[in-house]
Amino acid sequence: MIQLLLKIWHTLDDRLGLVKNLKPLMDHRVPKESKWAYVFGSATLFAFILQVVTGVALATVYDPSATGAYKSLEYISRQATLGSFVRGLHYFGASAMILFIGIHMLRVFLYAAYKYPREGNWLTGVVLLMFTLGMGFTGQLMRWDQDAVWSVNIAARQAVRVPFLGKYLQQFVYAGDRLSGLTLNHFFDLHVFIIPGIMFAFIGVHLYLVLYNGISEPPKAGVPVDPKTYRRQYKELVKKNGVPFWPDAAWRDALFGSLVIAGIVTFAFVYGAPHLAPPPNPTLLNAEPRPDWYLLWYFAILAMSPHQLESGIMILAPAMVFGSMFALPFFFNSGERSLRRRPWAVAWVTIVVVGVCTLWYEGKISPWSPRFNAPPLPASMTASLNPSARRGAALFHDKRCESCHMIEGYGGLRGPNLSRAADRLNREQMEWRILNGGHNMPSFAGILKPDEVDDLLSFLHTRDFPSGSQIGSTQP
Amino acid sequence: MTDQAQTSTSLLSRRHLLMFVSVAAGGFATAIVGLPLIGFLIAPLFRRQPGVWRDVGPLSKFPVGETSKVTLEDSSSIPWGGADSLTAAWLRRVDEQTFQAFAVDCTHLGCPVRWEASAELFMCPCHGGVYYKNGEVAAGPPPHALEQFPVRILNNTVQVEWRKLPDVAENCLHSKEADA
């Protein structure tokens, strides 16, 4: 039996040339010290393969039309056998892919592995990062729920701000002058055919370059990259001190990649498919579109930019970020790789990581968004007030002051907390502010009647330290 | 000697010809498929949707001073467009004969603004943009007032013209000129 199998194998190998052509690839020597820090690229690749497989599976049920997409998503999420699980796999797979491509890129930057001769590895990697984020954005749209529809609108509104080309970019986003039945079809084509096709090509080149240029050795201080001698030095290093890629180095990739897949499966099993917003009807206006977590930091940038610089930030910031990533290996392709000799690299990574995490946090709580559903102030807070102040407390809710101002834990975060307003402002100052508004506050002069202003002022006037602390203590 | 040289030049030119034929044939085949395909792909970029007047209800449906939501169907004819062909607008009756129809798109980034009737404000859920009842910016990041659709009254029926929203950039200029 074994004899027969061996014979079949030898026959096949003779015709296919597997051992002859692939064994050198498996055996090629890699630096012995390149260990756990090097597993994130392959983890990204495993996540990508999972996305292809789960995406193909979802496409057997998904209906890429404006009228059918949402219904088919509801069907996948609620009725199809294992549908919620498979959608969960695709969502958490996307999350993992974005997470690991980010970590992989940071690692490559910290190790200065973009230097000679691996500039091409870095450049194809930046392209893959852009397309991965593009897949994240277009993937979110595939749900074609209310959030997706308004996300398209938001993308179009940003596109139109690009000088000269803005109008055409907007038409490209909408697939016409305005959102229509074609919009989803176009994004479906991008998400399922065009971008993945380009990504396959770039992943092919990226992997070819990894093999051709070899896996970088961990940097050592005082051993700079010199393009004249590097290849010879690397060859000697892996000859003298290298190990065969398979299995001495690849086992870590296999183990870590499998754990990543197991993690994605666990998340998909526990949490299932991600949330589906209400149906994609542009006339249902109670929408609060938010991007998925991997783009939430960008949502925060759009809210926090100074208004006058906003168009510039929207267009220039991505251009500068990706532009400098593309420029990096052209300007710094030799010299020291060790972080001890590259303090600016450490500073940059710190700024990027802390910045993105802060923006994530801000995006998550989005203090700039009004709280439409803030409940009226409770009786415990208003019962002891005189009638005018009590009417003022009701106005505080009805006139939507509460959407942006918080009192004792009730209300929004956009404007200052008014729990102790009377400690900071006297009656005249408050009146001036209410009637005139400010940069982020409407003027209420044309909205409130004079007696309403009086009531509101009476109420706000009770918000001083003694009453605040007294009422505050009754709050849970 | 001369014979040999002649053979090699003729061989070379024969190879040149074969290369030329291969590249030209390939280029031709690519072009006759590629050019129509490119035309098909970029056609939506040049698809113009003309304006179209839509009935939104009888005059009596809209009390003076109030703002309510109306739905307009766009002028495109994508059969499977479904609700994507619909656009909402906030219709405000200023007085007996005057209406304003605001696009619901916040001029900041296009999130749908809500009419908060008790506060007489349009509020955006995304980045905190606020507008007064006449569409002027009240607070937050919006660069200019809410865009408006034309409104007319025909035989006691209110009509709003669905049309492509003006380009944001153009409108920015207008509002800046108005400010100055």
Side-chain angles (χ1 to χ4, degrees), chain B residues 117-160:
Chain B
S118 61
E120 298 183 1
L121 294 169
F122 294 103
M123 294 172 84
C124 176
C126 287
H127 301 108
V130 185
Y131 306 81
Y132 295 116
K133 62 184 173 188
N134 64 0
E136 296 292 321
V137 178
H144 61 88
L146 288 173
E147 284 146 5
Q148 293 187 32
F149 297 110
V151 191
R152 70 182 183 194
I153 303 163
L154 211 69
N155 304 327
N156 278 330
T157 301
V158 185
Q159 292 191 321
V160 178

Side-chain angles (χ1 to χ4, degrees), chain B residues 10 15-16 25 35 44 70 82 93 107 110-111 145 147 158 171 173:
Chain B
S10 70
R15 280 196 188 134
H16 276 138
L35 291 177
V70 295
R93 186 164 188 182
T107 59
C111 289
E147 284 146 5
V158 185
N171 244 324
L173 283 177

Side-chain angles (χ1 to χ4, degrees), chain A residues 102-408:
Chain A
I103 297 177
H104 177 53
M105 212 125 200
L106 286 178
R107 200 280 301 167
V108 168
F109 180 72
L110 286 171
Y111 278 32
Y114 54 83
K115 293 193 174 187
Y116 180 90
R118 301 185 182 83
E119 299 97 326
N121 303 38
W122 173 263
L123 294 175
T124 50
V126 176
V127 172
L128 284 167
L129 174 72
M130 291 169 71
F131 282 114
T132 302
L133 290 174
M135 285 300 275
F137 178 71
T138 54
Q140 220 165 276
L141 301 184
M142 291 303 103
R143 287 173 212 152
W144 211 240
D145 55 7
Q146 195 179 49
D147 286 1
V149 167
W150 290 109
S151 296
V152 170
N153 220 34
I154 293 166
R157 286 279 169 163
Q158 289 177 65
V160 81
R161 295 194 187 207
V162 174
F164 309 116
L165 294 174
K167 213 174 79 183
Y168 298 102
L169 286 173
Q170 187 184 40
Q171 273 161 347
F172 176 76
V173 172
Y174 281 138
D177 278 344
R178 191 92 174 105
L179 188 85
S180 75
L182 288 181
T183 314
L184 173 62
N185 295 96
H186 272 235
F187 276 110
F188 177 75
D189 200 54
L190 279 171
H191 184 74
V192 172
F193 298 111
I194 297 175
I195 304 181
I198 297 171
M199 286 181 79
F200 274 117
F202 272 89
I203 290 172
V205 177
H206 196 70
L207 291 180
Y208 164 76
L209 290 173
V210 170
L211 283 170
Y212 178 66
N213 292 319
I215 295 171
S216 72
E217 73 283 13
K220 284 196 191 85
V223 188
V225 171
D226 179 354
K228 288 198 191 78
T229 56
Y230 181 81
R231 282 208 193 267
R232 188 163 46 77
Q233 285 167 344
Y234 182 80
K235 217 171 167 182
E236 277 165 22
L237 176 90
V238 290
K239 197 171 170 192
K240 195 174 71 188
N241 205 13
V243 291
F245 175 68
W246 176 261
D248 295 47
W251 74 272
R252 290 189 190 84
D253 295 298
L255 179 62
F256 185 75
S258 305
L259 287 175
V260 167
I261 299 293
I264 295 169
V265 169
T266 311
F267 271 93
F269 187 73
V270 174
Y271 296 104
H275 167 73
L276 207 53
N281 186 333
T283 65
L284 300 178
L285 301 180
N286 276 2
E288 287 193 37
R290 294 282 184 279
D292 281 350
W293 69 268
Y294 41 80
L295 290 174
L296 203 54
W297 53 276
Y298 187 65
F299 169 75
I301 290 181
L302 297 179
M304 294 166 81
S305 311
H307 307 333
Q308 294 79 6
L309 301 176
E310 200 172 60
S311 291
I313 290 174
M314 251 177 245
I315 296 150
L316 281 181
M320 275 168 64
V321 167
F322 284 106
S324 49
M325 284 169 106
F326 278 119
L328 180 74
F330 293 101
F331 289 96
F332 305 99
N333 79 330
S334 61
E336 288 283 349
R337 289 180 55 211
S338 170
L339 281 180
R340 287 184 209 174
R341 307 283 166 90
R342 293 168 57 237
W344 278 106
V346 184
W348 274 116
V349 168
T350 313
I351 290 169
V352 168
V353 171
V354 171
V356 169
C357 289
T358 312
L359 289 168
W360 255 330
Y361 176 75
E362 290 292 324
K364 189 79 198 147
I365 54 169
S366 37
W368 49 80
S369 297
R371 301 290 189 259
F372 290 106
N373 51 2
L377 297 174
S380 61
M381 206 186 287
T382 57
S384 60
L385 302 175
N386 68 43
S388 169
R390 211 180 306 159
R391 286 195 299 273
L395 287 168
F396 185 75
H397 173 261
D398 294 344
K399 297 295 176 186
R400 297 292 177 265
C401 313
E402 202 186 336
S403 296
C404 297
H405 292 284
M406 184 173 275
I407 288 187
E408 303 297 345

